[in-house]
Structures are given as C-alpha cells and as structure tokens.
Amino acid sequence: MNRQAQSALLFLLGAALWHAGTTDLYLRYVKAGLRPLLLAAAVVLVAAAVASVGYGWRRARRGAWATPGSGSTSGSGSTFGSGSGPGPGSAPEGHGHHAPHVSWLLLLPLLALILVAPPALGSYSATRTGTALQQPLAYPALPATGPLRLSVVDYAGRAVYGKGRTLEGRRIQVTGFVAVDRSGTPYLVRMALNCCAADAQPVKIGLTGAIPPVLQPDTWLTVTGTYTPRTEKDPVNGGPIPFLRVTTAAPVPVPHDPYDESWNT
C-alpha cells in the first residue's frame, strides 16, 4: 500500500464515520453519548488523509527541484562515485514508504459501514443471554396521577428491588420487543448498553394476564398493565425476572434508539 492508497483509505474511512455519526446509523454500534467522539474521530481521519496528501505533494516538488543538479562531475567529465543504480540509502521513486500489506484490512470496517447496516440485537440474543438487571442506586420520583410510562429497566428494578412499592395500584405502560424462551414464556425486553452493541445485555419482564394470542418474536409492543409480585429466575443465569399483568398490548414501530442506556446515565 503506497502513500496515495493510504490517504484515500483514511479519507474514505473518515467520511464513512462522519456519515454514520450524522445519521442514526451510529446507534446500531455505540451509545448515543459517544456521538461527539465518533465525529471527532472522523475529523481526525480526514485531516490525516489531507495532511498525508499535502506531505507527498511537497516531497515530490522538492525532489523535482533537486534532480537537475544532483550529479557532481570531475574534470574528465565522469561522475564521481556514479554507478549503474541508485546510491546507498536511496529508494526508487514511487517505491518508498510503503505500508505493510496488513493495512488493507482497514477496508473491512469501511465496507461494513458502507454496505452493511446491522439490525439491533433482538430476541435471538435475549433468549441466549441472562438478564442483566442491577439494583439501582435510587428511584426517580414518579408522577402522582396518570399512567406510569416506564422503561423496561425502570419497571424491573422497582418490581424486584423496590418490591413494587411505587407501582402498586398504578396503571403502567412499558415498551420493548417480544422474546419467547424455550418453555414458551413471553418476555418484553430491552437491550441495555454500557458502551456499544458488543456489550449489550437484556433486561426482561415476563408477561402474564391478557397476552395477545399470537406473539411474533422481535415485534415491538407497548404493553399497558399493572404490577404483580410474581418473579421467576432467568433460565440462562438465574437472575430475577419480574412480571407485568397485561391488560392491553399494541404493536409500535421500532424506536429511534432501540437500546436502553438508562441504567448507566
């Protein structure tokens, strides 16, 4: 890989990162809070590509000016120390400063960003990974009236560790995607992030009550219901899974950000 190829690859990679960071594509890879760092990385890559092109252009100009007077001659007209090839330490034009062949592996993330838009992790991952529910440090205040619109993480934490004290007697709405385990138990799930999609882990709520007769995995639902003290152990890791007694369930579009970051904000 010569300097021109390096510069072109750096520029394209930076441009692809900029495109991902200025659209919703980046949410498939990292949490929303990392967007400024992603854009900064794109700017650095593009700047490095432009600087590399500028350096190569200035070096070529210096070489062009130095070439006409580069030989020193003796009185007999012969060139002192001349030989049939370039002198020691010199490199043929166009063959110096090559990067290792492994540099071409940078094409892989570039092609992935351009050609592949991976879907958010869904029911397949959720049913094969144990719940990642953690005890919250505190519970935000809830409105005194009206339905409680809670995240999966918030409801699960209040139901398990808060013993449902802030949920009893309230109408609750929760949105997530459907997952069904091998025993047929339906869950409402959100994948929670620490940093990026590679470390996403599910938080699950079991569904009971007026469950729709047909549940398609990965369908997004807004479920309205009430708190129930029922809990079960996750069959994967033994973690606690609270339940919600369903009164109504309605399909909804996939949200703008399919991941839940509320547990580490």
Side-chain angles (χ1 to χ4, degrees):
M1 179 182 286
N2 58 26
R3 186 178 298 276
Q4 290 78 13
Q6 293 174 46
S7 302
L9 192 55
L10 278 177
F11 181 85
L12 290 174
L13 188 57
L17 283 179
W18 182 265
H19 169 71
T22 53
T23 64
D24 293 341
L25 180 60
Y26 79 102
L27 293 173
R28 301 297 178 94
Y29 299 96
V30 298
K31 59 189 292 185
L34 294 180
R35 184 179 190 176
L37 295 178
L38 189 68
L39 293 176
V43 171
V44 169
L45 287 173
V46 171
V50 172
S52 180
V53 171
Y55 172 78
W57 180 75
R58 289 193 300 270
R59 187 170 178 274
R61 284 195 65 186
R62 285 198 300 268
W65 281 101
T67 299
S70 59
S72 39
T73 57
S74 65
S76 61
S78 62
T79 303
F80 179 75
S82 64
S84 59
S90 64
E93 185 65 27
H95 295 279
H97 304 287
H98 282 235
H101 292 296
V102 72
S103 302
W104 287 106
L105 291 179
L106 281 173
L107 279 173
L108 298 180
L110 177 60
L111 292 175
L113 281 170
I114 294 174
L115 301 178
V116 181
L121 297 176
S123 61
Y124 180 88
S125 298
T127 55
R128 288 161 177 78
T129 308
T131 181
L133 182 63
Q134 302 173 1
Q135 184 170 3
L137 298 177
Y139 299 103
L142 296 175
T145 59
L148 299 178
R149 293 178 175 86
L150 303 177
S151 69
V152 169
V153 173
D154 195 8
Y155 175 85
R158 291 174 186 271
V160 172
Y161 300 108
K163 305 301 180 183
R165 287 184 294 268
T166 58
L167 303 174
E168 289 181 343
R170 302 295 301 272
R171 187 165 168 258
I172 299 164
Q173 287 185 347
V174 185
T175 299
F177 64 84
V178 173
V180 181
D181 70 6
R182 294 180 180 178
S183 67
T185 302
Y187 299 125
L188 198 67
V189 186
R190 287 295 289 267
M191 302 297 288
L193 293 187
N194 278 316
C195 168
C196 53
D199 62 27
Q201 295 175 290
V203 176
K204 310 172 187 179
I205 297 174
L207 301 179
T208 186
I211 302 172
V214 178
L215 287 176
Q216 183 69 30
D218 295 312
T219 300
W220 283 81
L221 297 178
T222 291
V223 171
T224 302
T226 56
Y227 165 75
T228 173
R230 177 184 171 185
T231 61
E232 290 185 358
K233 290 185 177 181
D234 192 305
V236 180
N237 67 347
I241 298 178
F243 275 70
L244 177 69
R245 183 177 291 109
V246 179
T247 54
T248 61
V252 293
V254 178
H256 169 73
D257 186 354
Y259 295 111
D260 191 325
E261 303 166 24
S262 61
W263 71 346
N264 60 6
T265 53

